[in-house]
Amino acid sequence: MSASIRAIRCSKWYGKVTALQDVSLHLGPGIWGLLGPNGSGKTTFMRICAGQLRPSLGEVQICGERPFNNSKALAQIGLCPEADALYDQMSALEFVTAMARLSGFSANDAEKRAKASLEEFGLEDAMKRRMGGYSRGMRQRAKLAQAVVHDPKVILLDEPLTGTDPRSRATILGALQRKAADGAVVMFSTHVLPEIEAITDQVLLIARGQLVAQGKVHEIRSLLEEHPHHVRVFTAEPRRLAALCVDIEGVVAMSFAPGGVEFMTYDPAATYQTIARKVVEHEVEIDSITSPDASLEALFHYLVERAAHGAGTGSDAGVGRARSLQQANPRTQNAPHPEGQYAQQNYAPGEGQ
Amino acid sequence: MTVRDLGYRPYEGARLPASRNTSVMLRHALRRAWASWMVKVAAFISWVPFVFGCGFWMLQFWFNNQMAQQGQAAGDMGEAGAQMVFATLQWTVWLLGFLVTIGAGASAVAEDLAHDAFAFYFSKPVTAPQYLLGRVGAVAIWLFALLAIPGIALITVIAGASPADIRLEQLGLLLPLLIHSLFVSVVLSFLSVGISAFSKSRALTMTAWITLFVIPGVLARIVEEVGDWPWLKLAAVPSLITSVGAALFKIPGESEIEWYFSVPILVVSSLAAIYFAAQRVTKAKVIQ
């Protein structure tokens, strides 16, 4: 069975609070960024995938197997939890060796693999030192080394770059890219968007317990045609510029932002050109023209906001009635699904088995 | 979405069965227990009674020989041997049992709960009973080793330095020693690990264990001295263990509490403690 994560209408409730609602997806080899704000259900989904939680409804399959209480499936999973739960008295080598042994390797094999794994994450010089003396980045790398020491097909990383320095990040991202190139599914959760952008453009956006979007960043962007782009002009003469640009075609709104003017437009290319032309013609002094939409941040906030309006679930949301993205926005129901799939996919139970 | 199958390159070697993870967890827990300075101190001082016991026994042996040479009646060395081993064990149970359970038992589960370390263990093919057996087993093995090994050495010396006619009788003390050490190890490991699952706070669980281990014993002693009422000892773990030891070594009058009161109380409370710990670990591991 090839490496895969499949969720089929997976939901999870903690009492009356819905942490995850009706999540369906199918992930193949590669790196997938699981994006969402704190309390959106990322960790719950990770834990369900890692066999540590049982879904209240639906199911998750790891390489075709349900992971909950299933040692066969658990042997295929490598989890790097968010918690900084290392034993200060132990060395990284002892810790990773113990984890390799729990994954079914003999003492000799486990130690060899632990050394190789720690070297891959740049801990070759520190592996015999007690982890109590490690920096945060080194501790993260030790956690990652234990997650991949047994060659898992599915690697689940919960906020793996938290507290790491740029050098540690480069080491970690390089190692993860190698694992993905070897054919593993790497699911990488974070709420810091540039972390995802640095390693992959395949994203899953989760908000209030719902999968609000899935696919490549540019594909998601093209889906959101109804979402006006923002163009921000930093200038010392915002009122004059606003008066000049009030009749630009495609601009639907204009507001004064700190240090300039912000335009909302459905035609960003034309808006850029027109603003530039008017600035030159009327000799308006400007500092810069930027688009906050150029980063994933804007897309993320937009989707999260939209899910928040349409739903009331998630561990940060208390109890409420939820609607899926499709229900909240009829335009996405008929969205094309060529390569990437946007929004939620509804799998019939048992499909693809 | 198209799922690209890049062709996973699996590990080619053999993997051992998940059932083997009990012993892996046990070894891991043994190493973690040894990391505690209290266990190291206990390992060192476990030999102190042996040294003193040997010295005392040699002195008694010499004294008896002198008495015999002068034609006077010597003491009963067979009974004296049992009393010495029992007294040594009492001392070690109080001190070693306390140190090992505080250092390795009373914080075992609390530390993992506090750090959410279950995420590491249970993302591997490890079950909650395997985890718990590892934790309990490590405390029990350390305790058994620290009680039994110096005890065996002491009995060997006692037997070697005894008259030939009672040498076999002295060696017969090995059986009660092993049974007592095993019983004490299992009871104290179950109770301390059970207490350690009460809270995420190591300080709280360790304080709770110290309270349970020490306070009822001290109160029972005071009440017995003042009011001549021994039954409060039924709530004191060391007193209950003493009564079992006295019965095993056949030391009359050592404990007012009979072993058939003590054993059921210790067994039931140990089982209850470990059941509670199992429930806590299972709940911490997964939310069904």
Side-chain angles (χ1 to χ4, degrees):
Chain A
M1 185 76 189
S2 67
S4 66
I5 299 174
R6 181 185 283 270
I8 303 166
R9 309 207 71 164
C10 179
S11 299
K12 178 72 191 173
W13 299 291
Y14 298 106
K16 289 182 177 177
V17 176
T18 307
L20 209 60
Q21 187 186 338
D22 207 23
V23 171
S24 294
L25 52 80
H26 186 185
L27 308 181
I31 301 179
W32 296 85
L34 182 63
L35 272 172
N38 289 324
S40 59
K42 298 189 300 292
T43 299
T44 298
F45 186 60
M46 284 266 179
R47 287 189 168 197
I48 288 174
C49 290
Q52 296 185 353
L53 287 177
R54 176 185 279 168
S56 307
L57 265 184
E59 69 176 61
V60 165
Q61 294 174 357
I62 300 296
C63 307
E65 299 268 351
R66 293 182 187 188
F68 189 82
N69 272 351
N70 181 347
S71 58
K72 192 178 165 192
L74 290 176
Q76 310 294 347
I77 296 169
L79 174 69
C80 176
E82 186 184 4
D84 187 25
L86 299 175
Y87 299 112
D88 290 347
Q89 294 88 358
M90 290 178 82
S91 71
L93 183 59
E94 286 172 329
F95 174 64
V96 179
T97 302
M99 293 298 121
R101 296 210 63 196
L102 289 175
S103 299
F105 293 99
S106 66
N108 282 341
D109 280 352
E111 190 168 341
K112 281 179 199 163
R113 297 184 73 84
K115 280 181 180 168
S117 188
L118 287 162
E119 281 170 12
E120 187 169 15
F121 284 97
L123 286 173
E124 57 271 26
D125 297 329
M127 66 170 76
K128 290 183 179 168
R129 276 170 38 201
R130 287 183 174 189
M131 291 188 287
Y134 279 12
S135 68
R136 184 74 195 268
M138 291 166 83
R139 293 167 76 85
Q140 284 293 91
R141 283 184 276 157
K143 277 162 57 181
L144 284 158
Q146 69 78 32
V148 301
V149 68
H150 54 296
D151 264 352
K153 288 182 177 178
V154 172
I155 302 170
L156 305 169
L157 311 171
D158 199 356
E159 311 260 359
L161 299 181
T162 306
T164 53
D165 56 61
R167 197 174 156 199
S168 294
R169 278 171 194 238
T171 309
I172 291 169
L173 296 180
L176 295 181
Q177 278 164 336
R178 283 193 293 278
K179 294 288 171 195
D182 282 350
V185 185
V186 180
M187 190 159 72
F188 180 111
S189 88
T190 181
H191 60 277
V192 183
L193 306 184
E195 287 181 357
I196 292 286
E197 289 175 307
I199 192 170
T200 182
D201 68 342
Q202 298 184 115
V203 289
L204 306 160
L205 280 94
I206 191 167
R208 312 245 168 177
Q210 293 180 69
L211 191 65
V212 291
Q214 174 184 343
K216 294 185 186 298
V217 176
H218 71 271
E219 292 169 339
I220 292 171
R221 159 61 63 212
S222 62
L223 172 72
L224 300 170
E225 289 169 352
E226 82 283 13
H227 172 40
H229 292 238
H230 293 240
V231 176
R232 190 174 291 173
V233 184
F234 290 94
T235 174
E237 305 170 277
R239 289 185 180 280
R240 189 170 162 229
L241 181 65
L244 290 170
C245 298
V246 76
D247 58 346
I248 296 177
E249 197 174 337
V251 172
V252 292
M254 196 188 299
S255 60
F256 292 106
V261 190
E262 188 166 306
F263 301 91
M264 287 171 71
T265 175
Y266 284 112
D267 190 353
T271 304
Y272 273 115
Q273 280 185 354
T274 312
I275 292 173
R277 186 165 46 78
K278 292 202 177 234
V279 162
V280 172
E281 281 174 5
H282 296 89
E283 295 181 340
V284 180
E285 262 188 46
I286 65 164
D287 296 323
S288 62
I289 302 179
T290 62
S291 170
D293 285 347
S295 96
L296 191 53
E297 190 95 29
L299 171 62
F300 175 63
H301 282 298
Y302 173 69
L303 286 165
V304 169
E305 269 177 33
R306 195 164 68 167
H309 290 307
T313 62
S315 57
D316 59 343
V319 188
R321 286 186 305 162
R323 286 186 297 156
S324 69
L325 178 59
Q326 292 99 319
Q327 289 166 319
N329 183 357
R331 286 191 65 170
T332 59
Q333 280 189 319
N334 299 317
H337 291 216
E339 283 289 313
Q341 288 189 357
Y342 320 121
Q344 283 178 292
Q345 306 158 35
N346 293 317
Y347 285 90
E351 180 190 298
Q353 288 177 357
Chain B
M1 177 194 325
T2 305
V3 175
R4 288 180 304 135
D5 189 348
L6 301 176
Y8 177 69
R9 293 183 301 198
Y11 166 68
E12 299 293 341
R15 287 225 197 173
L16 301 166
S19 56
R20 204 184 118 274
N21 279 343
T22 306
S23 66
V24 177
M25 283 303 301
L26 182 60
R27 278 179 233 177
H28 176 62
L30 281 170
R31 270 198 294 274
R32 273 193 61 203
W34 181 244
S36 163
W37 66 267
M38 284 192 240
V39 176
K40 289 192 180 91
V41 168
F44 175 74
I45 61 174
S46 66
W47 290 94
V48 173
F50 165 75
V51 172
F52 278 99
C54 287
F56 182 78
W57 189 257
M58 292 299 182
L59 204 63
Q60 182 157 5
F61 186 63
W62 175 82
F63 184 72
N64 274 7
N65 278 346
Q66 293 296 313
M67 297 283 278
Q69 282 172 11
Q70 291 170 16
Q72 294 174 11
D76 183 352
M77 290 193 75
E79 195 177 304
Q83 276 174 345
M84 176 175 289
V85 174
F86 176 69
T88 305
L89 264 180
Q90 287 316 108
W91 191 80
T92 51
V93 165
W94 265 97
L95 191 59
L96 302 184
F98 182 72
L99 284 172
V100 172
T101 51
I102 281 288
S107 60
V109 180
E111 193 175 6
D112 288 339
L113 277 170
H115 288 100
D116 200 13
F118 291 155
F120 289 118
Y121 296 120
F122 298 129
S123 64
K124 306 283 187 269
V126 176
T127 62
Q130 283 176 325
Y131 166 84
L132 213 51
L133 268 173
R135 288 282 174 270
V136 170
V139 179
I141 285 172
W142 275 117
L143 205 47
F144 181 78
L146 298 186
L147 292 175
I149 295 172
I152 291 169
L154 181 60
I155 289 171
T156 308
V157 170
I158 286 173
S162 293
D165 57 330
I166 61 164
R167 202 163 282 165
L168 201 59
E169 185 188 339
Q170 304 287 35
L171 284 175
L173 293 171
L174 284 172
L175 186 63
L177 170 81
L178 291 175
I179 294 173
H180 189 247
S181 301
L182 186 66
F183 183 72
V184 169
S185 308
V186 171
V187 164
L188 291 186
S189 60
F190 274 40
L191 285 173
S192 62
V193 172
I195 294 281
S196 80
F198 263 91
S199 166
K200 284 184 174 183
S201 164
R202 285 179 69 204
L204 195 66
T205 57
M206 288 164 88
T207 307
W209 176 240
I210 292 169
T211 306
L212 184 76
F213 197 84
V214 177
I215 303 294
V218 174
L219 285 177
R221 179 63 65 90
I222 293 169
V223 168
E224 188 185 18
E225 292 294 326
V226 174
D228 198 22
W229 193 73
W231 295 102
L232 196 59
K233 285 186 175 176
L234 288 175
V237 174
S239 302
L240 294 172
I241 288 172
T242 299
S243 69
V244 177
L248 281 168
F249 285 94
K250 296 178 181 165
I251 311 288
E254 184 62 34
S255 174
E256 294 80 358
I257 306 296
E258 296 294 341
W259 68 270
Y260 45 80
F261 290 122
S262 307
V263 170
I265 292 172
L266 288 171
V267 168
V268 169
S269 54
S270 301
L271 291 177
I274 210 64
Y275 176 76
F276 171 76
Q279 293 296 309
R280 284 278 291 174
V281 170
T282 306
K283 277 186 185 168
K285 179 199 165 191
V286 289
I287 300 167
Q288 302 282 336

